[in-house]
């Protein structure tokens, strides 16, 4: 079949034939020409460049570019096991290839004559295989190979393949080598015609970007490095634009939904609450409060992200918003990532509200409401009561964990959803809660103290308006952080425990944090708070590459008795971790909050939200096992009162090691946003984006959230302009199509409905 033109959407089986098409589908899941052409080369060899053979390591799967130095034909011992017949003489071919300094052996068994036609001394080629060692020499056994023609005139196909100065190396699989991909790409590019470029002409002109067709040719068959650079620039732009346009459309679609306005009311519970606050609101709290109050009064749903440093006082902001909704006859939900935090919110919010939360009792003033708690471990009877109160509207405020998302939870009139400390709480989960407001959409406030770089905010929360709470309430004390090198300076560690004792003697409290629970399971411990999503749980932080073979991280159940019998003997200690029964967690936290415990030895269940102002010291054991942002969150538990906080990062990592450097950065800066950049620089972006952007994780191939911050911001502006001018993207078919491909049909349809 002769194809006149190839489009991006043609099936590969038609363009490349059924066998090759199916092969690519099996190996990479590729179905269309687009899938193949979006499989970008990982690197490029320049002609004349050779692989540094001395860097090869055993078990590496390599594609090496090298020159044949020596070809040695050797007989093998006759096959002794051959039954009957004459013994067969077998041969092997031993080829030595070189990069000029190091060398590598290639071993082929059989087909020697045939192989020798290609493998001639002086010829260069690409060799792919897995590095093994034979008698102390590194070798590839039966590598796949492709020789580079000595002159471009040798054979037209090969000439086309290597006409450029640069040889692309695409991510290969064990079944499909990089040059097979290369050949398929060449076929696909031959008659390629693209009519619906995702990046509109006007933007291409404005930002000097290649059209898609030239881009794909440039990335796959570059002649010089500047071809690759131009193609990459355009591809980054495209990724940023497609992602941001999807988010902008999503935000518009959400805003176009009807919502019940919940305007503030004079003389309501909210006003009473404000009057009863034991402190002055900060200017920031007041400003954000005004913005939120205005949002809540609108007939379109609020979708706002409140970014605030640890301890900046977000809870009060949330409570004031919830009470405004309650005053206007609606209900509000406060969703927390862990059981411990949900319980704490319940305790502190009921305490703050006092009689205002006791509607139906004789203590309650005329205007009052009720607060209910629902988590995965709420008992059957209690749960039934909570469900009834939610359904009848008797409970104005519901606090809980993921359990609140379940189908059985129905509301009389859900007006506001507050999601606390859950920056990984994805779009889908937000949708699940939204569905619970019948007929209209609830207002949504997402709060996070996990500082996230601006572009991550734009990406993960690109469909939300962003407010920032930067000011700390007055009377906050500084926290000083120090690294305690347990190996080099054992005396520092002794001094750390002494500091804990001193603080306790002065009437204050302390935390000791360990990376692991311990107990039965020898070395692995995902915290198993039934309510927490896995990504938010303590568990073992994954060790950085190359550091896998260390001792298991310290565990609460080992450290606690050692401390109680040793350096902290005589102090009142208790333990807290995700595997405790919820009632027990509640009891432990209450005791600590009431000052009945001096030292709480815990896992990262206390990472977010926990608020005990009297605690002033935190000792983090094996601190190098935690991420930078996580350490910042943890230390946010101290320095919440009038006394200065001290955070000690205990580590066995040596001076100058990456782990140590990371800890020193945490010790040196108290700016969560600066730390979040360090964190992002060290983690894979998929981890950061989490499930929130399950679709786009795959589609971010060229874009890097940190490096391309400015580009993303610009793309966002342009996306807003495009969507304002043409909300349905009728004039931007290519862009529309790219968004559909990224989101998948279901989520894309949602955008088109609005
Ligand atoms: P976060 O923003 O980390 O969630 P919280 O809401 O837990 O912080 O607030 C931390 C502490 O600060 C709480 O004990 C809270 O009562 C207190 N707080 C909040 N706002 C103020 C304020 N304006 N003045 C003094 N203390 C405040
Ligand atoms: Mg909080």
């Amino acid at each position: 079949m002769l194809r006149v033109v190839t489009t991006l959407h043609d099936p590969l089986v038609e363009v490349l034939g059924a066998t090759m098409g199916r092969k690519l589908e099996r190996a990479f899941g590729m179905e269309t020409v687009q899938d193949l052409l979006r499989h970008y080369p990982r690197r490029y060899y320049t002609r004349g460049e050779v692989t540094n053979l001395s860097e090869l390591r055993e078990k590496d799967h390599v594609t090496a570019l090298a020159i044949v130095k020596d070809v040695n034909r050797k007989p093998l011992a006759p096959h002794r096991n051959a039954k009957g017949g004459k013994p067969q003489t077998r041969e092997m071919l031993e080829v030595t290839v070189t990069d000029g300094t190091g060398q590598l052996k290639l071993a082929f068994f059989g087909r020697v004559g045939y192989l020798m036609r290609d493998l001639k001394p002086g010829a260069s080629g690409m060799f792919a295989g897995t590095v093994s060692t034979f008698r102390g020499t590194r070798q590839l056994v039966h590598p796949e190979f492709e020789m580079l023609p000595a002159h471009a005139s040798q054979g037209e196909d090969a000439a086309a393949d290597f006409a450029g100065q640069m040889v692309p190396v695409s991510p290969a699989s064990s079944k499909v080598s990089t040059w097979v991909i290369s050949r398929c790409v060449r076929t696909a590019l031959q008659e390629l015609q693209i009519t619906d470029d995702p990046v509109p002409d006007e933007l291409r002109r404005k930002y000097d970007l290649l059209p898609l067709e030239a881009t794909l040719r440039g990335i796959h068959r570059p002649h010089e490095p500047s071809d690759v650079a131009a193609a990459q620039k355009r591809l980054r732009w495209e990724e940023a634009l497609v992602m941001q346009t999807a988010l902008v459309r999503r935000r518009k679609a959400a805003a176009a939904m009807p919502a019940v306005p919940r305007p503030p009311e004079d003389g309501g519970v909210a006003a009473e609450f404000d009057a009863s606050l034991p402190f002055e609101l900060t200017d920031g709290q007041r400003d954000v409060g005004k913005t939120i109050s205005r949002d809540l009064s609108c007939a379109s749903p609020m979708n706002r992200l409140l970014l605030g440093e640890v301890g900046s006082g977000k809870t009060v902001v949330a409570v004031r918003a919830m009470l405004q909704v309650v005053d206007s006859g609606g209900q509000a939900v406060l969703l927390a990532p862990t059981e411990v935090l949900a319980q704490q919110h319940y305790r502190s919010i009921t305490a703050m509200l006092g009689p205002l939360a006791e509607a139906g009792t004789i203590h309650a003033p005329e205007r009052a409401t009720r607060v209910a708690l629902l988590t995965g471990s709420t008992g059957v009877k209690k749960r039934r009561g909570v469900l009834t109160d939610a359904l009848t509207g008797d409970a104005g405020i519901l606090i809980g964990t993921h359990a609140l998302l379940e189908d059985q939870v129905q509301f009389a009139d859900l007006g506001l959803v507050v999601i606390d400390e859950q920056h990984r709480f994805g779009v889908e989960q937000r949708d699940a809660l939204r569905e619970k407001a019948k007929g209209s959409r609830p207002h949504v406030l997402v709060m996070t103290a996990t500082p996230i770089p601006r572009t991550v905010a734009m990406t993960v929360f690109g469909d939300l308006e962003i407010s920032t709470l930067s000011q700390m309430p007055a009377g906050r004390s500084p926290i000083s952080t120090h690294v305690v090198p347990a190996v080099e300076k054992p005396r520092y560690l002794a001094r750390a425990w002494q500091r804990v004792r001193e603080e306790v003697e002065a009437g204050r409290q302390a935390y000791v944090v360990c990376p692991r629970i311990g107990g039965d399971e020898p070395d692995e411990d995902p915290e198993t708070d039934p309510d927490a999503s896995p990504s938010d749980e303590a568990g073992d932080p994954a060790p950085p590459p190359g550091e896998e073979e260390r001792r298991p991280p310290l565990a609460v159940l080992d450290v606690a008795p050692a401390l109680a019998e040793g350096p902290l003997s005589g102090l009142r200690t208790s333990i807290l971790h995700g595997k405790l029964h919820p009632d027990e967690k509640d009891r432990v936290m209450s005791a600590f909050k009431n000052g009945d415990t001096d030292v709480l030895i815990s896992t990262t269940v206390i990472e977010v939200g926990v608020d005990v102002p009297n605690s002033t010291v935190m000792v983090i054991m094996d601190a190098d096992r935690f991420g930078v942002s996580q350490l910042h969150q943890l230390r946010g538990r101290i320095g919440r009162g009038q006394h200065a906080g001290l955070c000690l990062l205990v580590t066995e990592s040596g001076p100058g090691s990456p782990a140590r450097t990371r800890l020193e950065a945490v010790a040196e800066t108290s700016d969560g946003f600066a730390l979040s950049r360090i964190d992002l620089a060290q983690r894979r972006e998929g981890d950061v984006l989490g499930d929130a952007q399950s679709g786009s994780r795959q589609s971010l191939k060229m874009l890097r959230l940190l490096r391309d911050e400015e580009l993303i911001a610009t793309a966002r502006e342009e996306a807003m302009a495009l969507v304002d001018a043409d909300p349905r993207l009728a004039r931007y078919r290519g862009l529309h199509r790219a968004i559909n491909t990224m989101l998948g049909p279901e989520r894309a349809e949602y955008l088109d409905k609005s």
Side-chain angles (χ1 to χ4, degrees):
M1 180 177 46
L2 199 79
R3 302 185 66 88
V4 186
V5 294
T6 307
T7 78
L8 285 178
H9 313 291
D10 289 342
L12 285 175
V13 286
E14 282 179 23
V15 178
L16 302 173
T19 313
M20 185 53 80
R22 275 200 288 272
K23 203 167 175 176
L24 290 176
E25 171 156 22
R26 269 197 305 274
F28 303 103
M30 296 173 180
E31 290 173 10
T32 61
V33 169
Q34 159 124 293
D35 296 337
L36 173 65
L37 295 182
R38 297 290 190 180
H39 187 80
Y40 309 129
R42 190 175 36 209
R43 56 153 299 164
Y44 303 85
Y45 283 124
T46 314
R47 253 157 67 100
E49 179 190 353
V50 281
T51 312
N52 191 344
L53 296 178
S54 62
E55 280 174 8
L56 298 184
R57 279 184 303 182
E58 192 145 355
K59 298 204 181 84
D60 280 353
H61 183 82
V62 295
T63 302
L65 185 63
I67 299 163
V68 177
K69 187 178 165 208
D70 223 8
V71 181
N72 199 352
R73 185 173 194 160
K74 282 182 172 175
L76 287 171
H79 225 281
R80 277 197 270 149
N81 287 349
K83 287 186 201 133
K86 332 168 217 168
Q88 286 181 315
T89 26
R90 292 177 66 224
E91 285 184 307
M92 74 167 291
L93 192 66
E94 201 178 72
V95 178
T96 309
V97 297
T98 176
D99 63 354
T101 49
Q103 46 188 344
L104 179 67
K105 284 239 185 313
L106 314 177
F108 299 91
F109 300 90
R111 296 207 308 152
V112 166
Y114 172 81
L115 289 165
M116 283 180 69
R117 288 191 309 199
D118 284 331
L119 295 164
K120 294 201 172 89
S124 48
M126 292 217 276
F127 306 90
T130 307
V131 181
S132 57
T133 307
F134 180 68
R135 293 193 179 139
T137 314
R138 282 180 318 250
Q139 63 168 13
L140 303 179
V141 178
H142 279 291
E144 292 200 46
F145 67 91
E146 173 108 341
M147 301 311 290
L148 272 62
H151 304 287
S153 59
Q154 270 189 356
E156 256 177 64
D157 272 7
D161 234 350
F162 294 107
Q165 289 300 301
M166 300 173 76
V167 183
V169 181
S170 295
S173 81
S174 57
K175 295 269 159 43
V176 184
S177 66
T178 180
W179 46 87
V180 169
I181 297 174
S182 236
R183 275 201 290 269
C184 293
V185 164
R186 177 165 20 94
T187 309
L189 285 175
Q190 241 152 26
E191 308 297 338
L192 183 69
Q193 263 185 29
I194 296 176
T195 47
D196 48 358
D197 192 322
V199 182
D201 294 351
E202 61 221 63
L203 291 186
R204 290 209 311 270
R205 274 194 300 276
K206 186 166 170 188
Y207 295 100
D208 190 21
L209 304 170
L210 291 177
L212 182 54
E213 200 179 305
T215 304
L216 293 174
R217 291 184 198 282
I219 201 92
H220 288 291
R221 318 205 64 76
H223 291 267
E224 47 195 88
S226 63
D227 295 342
V228 177
Q232 284 175 339
K233 173 181 166 193
R234 134 83 205 211
L235 290 171
R236 278 185 206 126
W237 242 100
E238 176 180 314
E239 287 175 11
L241 183 71
V242 170
M243 177 176 76
Q244 292 302 330
T245 309
L247 290 165
V248 168
R249 289 196 77 205
R250 194 187 154 82
R251 194 172 68 174
K252 284 223 155 193
M257 304 294 290
V260 179
R262 315 277 179 177
E265 224 175 272
D266 292 337
V269 185
E272 281 290 313
F273 174 76
D274 279 359
S276 72
L277 274 177
F279 46 69
E280 286 278 302
L281 292 173
T282 63
D283 292 343
Q285 285 170 324
R286 227 183 277 282
D287 287 348
V288 171
K290 273 193 203 127
T291 310
I292 292 173
S293 174
R294 210 180 312 122
D295 286 356
L296 291 174
S297 311
C298 292
S300 67
M302 167 172 82
N303 283 293
R304 187 166 292 280
L305 170 67
L306 179 55
L307 280 176
E309 263 288 5
V310 196
S312 57
K314 293 180 295 293
T315 316
V316 179
V317 173
V319 171
R320 296 178 73 230
M322 293 195 286
L323 292 176
Q324 176 172 330
V325 170
V326 168
D327 278 338
S328 76
Q331 291 165 292
V333 154
L334 173 58
L335 197 72
T338 62
E339 178 129 26
V340 168
L341 187 51
Q343 286 171 344
Q344 175 193 279
H345 275 320
Y346 179 72
R347 263 197 310 273
S348 68
I349 290 173
T350 44
M352 273 195 262
L353 286 170
L356 289 171
E358 294 174 15
T361 71
I362 46 167
H363 313 285
E366 196 185 326
R367 303 284 302 261
T369 186
R370 288 231 301 266
V371 181
L373 174 69
L374 185 73
T375 70
S377 55
T378 303
V380 180
K381 205 168 140 212
K382 223 177 186 166
R383 179 183 158 85
R384 210 174 296 141
V386 173
L387 291 182
T388 309
D389 286 353
L391 188 62
T392 57
D394 284 351
I397 294 179
L398 279 110
I399 298 171
T401 55
H402 280 62
L404 283 171
L405 300 177
E406 285 162 18
D407 287 342
Q408 299 97 308
V409 188
Q410 298 289 330
F411 299 87
D413 180 13
L414 180 60
L416 170 65
V417 175
V418 181
I419 298 167
D420 189 25
E421 299 292 4
Q422 179 67 297
H423 71 281
R424 296 188 195 86
F425 210 79
V427 165
E428 283 88 358
Q429 285 133 315
R430 297 208 297 268
D431 284 347
L433 264 171
R434 285 202 179 104
E435 298 307 329
K436 293 190 179 289
K438 300 165 204 110
S440 65
R441 294 258 145 170
H443 301 280
V444 175
L445 177 65
V446 180
M447 307 198 293
T448 179
T450 304
I452 48 180
R454 199 167 58 114
T455 40
V456 177
M458 276 192 265
T459 309
V460 182
F461 295 116
D463 56 339
L464 305 180
E465 313 277 344
I466 299 177
S467 299
T468 309
L469 206 54
S470 45
Q471 192 184 11
M472 286 291 186
R476 272 306 144 73
S477 309
I479 305 172
S480 55
T481 304
H482 303 280
V483 178
V484 178
V487 177
E488 313 133 60
K489 307 264 165 81
R491 275 182 37 239
Y492 283 23
L493 185 57
R495 174 82 188 116
W497 301 125
Q498 197 185 328
R499 288 288 292 119
V500 171
R501 298 194 76 98
E502 286 165 13
E503 288 296 311
V504 171
E505 275 154 27
R508 289 178 287 271
Q509 291 162 279
Y511 297 99
V512 177
V513 182
C514 303
R516 203 160 63 88
I517 300 175
D520 304 336
E521 72 284 65
D523 54 6
E524 140 299 331
D525 155 52
E527 279 272 52
T528 50
D529 186 329
D531 289 303
S533 60
S535 49
D536 283 295
E537 271 302 37
D540 273 346
E547 297 181 33
E548 295 87 353
E549 284 162 32
R550 300 184 296 169
R551 63 159 171 74
L554 292 172
V556 169
L557 297 181
D558 301 330
V559 168
L563 288 178
E565 287 157 28
L568 301 185
S569 69
L571 305 190
R572 296 168 301 171
T573 61
S574 71
I575 59 171
L576 182 69
H577 57 74
K579 284 196 175 155
L580 292 181
H581 187 275
D583 293 345
E584 177 68 4
K585 282 185 211 163
D586 198 25
R587 204 191 51 72
V588 171
M589 269 320 292
S590 301
F592 189 63
K593 179 119 195 169
N594 297 338
D596 298 336
T597 309
D598 300 317
V599 184
L600 187 64
I601 301 159
S602 96
T603 58
T604 55
V605 283
I606 55 136
E607 178 181 347
V608 290
V610 167
D611 184 38
V612 180
N614 190 46
S615 43
T616 49
V617 203
M618 174 175 285
V619 182
I620 304 180
M621 307 304 291
D622 276 346
D624 47 289
R625 310 277 182 142
F626 298 99
V628 167
S629 290
Q630 206 176 13
L631 291 170
H632 183 63
Q633 272 288 335
L634 281 168
R635 73 175 160 187
R637 304 306 114 219
I638 53 174
R640 297 189 147 236
Q642 65 202 57
H643 302 286
L646 175 66
C647 176
L648 300 171
L649 307 174
V650 181
T651 178
E652 291 184 359
S653 62
S657 67
R660 183 72 164 267
T661 312
R662 219 166 55 220
L663 295 181
E664 277 154 12
V666 175
E668 273 158 32
T669 172
S670 56
D671 176 351
F673 288 93
L675 290 174
S676 73
R677 299 180 64 87
I678 298 178
D679 215 13
L680 182 57
Q682 294 185 336
R683 283 194 294 164
R684 299 238 314 282
E685 311 215 328
D687 301 341
V688 179
L689 294 177
D691 292 334
Q693 294 292 319
S694 43
S696 62
R697 197 182 330 175
Q698 244 184 332
S699 54
L700 295 189
K701 290 180 177 160
M702 293 285 180
L703 201 62
R704 292 290 167 271
L705 296 177
L706 273 188
R707 182 195 60 199
D708 300 321
E709 218 164 76
E710 226 166 285
L711 163 57
I712 293 172
T714 312
R716 183 167 179 80
E717 307 259 297
E718 295 294 356
M720 287 194 234
L722 286 180
V723 176
D724 276 341
D726 182 2
R728 305 184 142 263
L729 302 178
R731 273 183 287 130
Y732 304 107
R733 278 188 27 234
L735 183 56
H736 190 247
R737 198 159 185 164
I739 292 174
N740 290 359
T741 308
M742 178 181 88
L743 294 179
E746 234 169 84
R747 285 165 67 186
E749 193 192 342
Y750 164 74
L751 296 182
D752 284 335
K753 271 194 302 209
S754 55

